[in-house]
Amino acid sequence: MPFGLAASVWSRDAATGARLAQRIDAGTVWINCHGVYATEMPHGGFKHSGYGKDLSVYALDSYSRIKHVMNKTT
């Protein structure tokens, strides 16, 4: 599949739901719910489902370039 924004897994068995969630190649996978967001976690997809992450501190990575400058003084 060329896209991987989000997915939901519905299962009566928590272990089965967790195993399926691990196998799904998507940026967000919900188990027994859909559309619930945690403010500390990023939202964004994999593959052709957009660029970068949004809705968390991780979103700043898309707008930042880290540069390390070392200056030896005598």
Side-chain angles (χ1 to χ4, degrees):
M1 300 206 115
F3 301 100
L5 180 59
S8 292
V9 173
W10 298 89
S11 176
R12 290 188 177 122
D13 181 63
T16 299
R19 279 194 306 275
L20 289 171
Q22 288 178 342
R23 296 179 64 191
I24 295 172
D25 193 21
T28 301
V29 180
W30 292 280
I31 300 174
N32 293 334
C33 60
H34 186 82
V36 180
Y37 296 98
T39 56
E40 67 276 6
M41 295 303 299
H43 179 70
F46 295 165
K47 301 179 270 188
H48 294 284
S49 290
Y51 173 78
K53 301 292 181 185
D54 199 6
L55 302 178
S56 77
V57 70
Y58 297 101
L60 298 176
D61 291 341
S62 298
Y63 304 103
S64 303
R65 284 181 31 177
I66 304 301
K67 186 176 196 173
H68 181 157
V69 177
M70 179 66 70
N71 183 9
K72 181 183 176 197
T73 60
T74 56

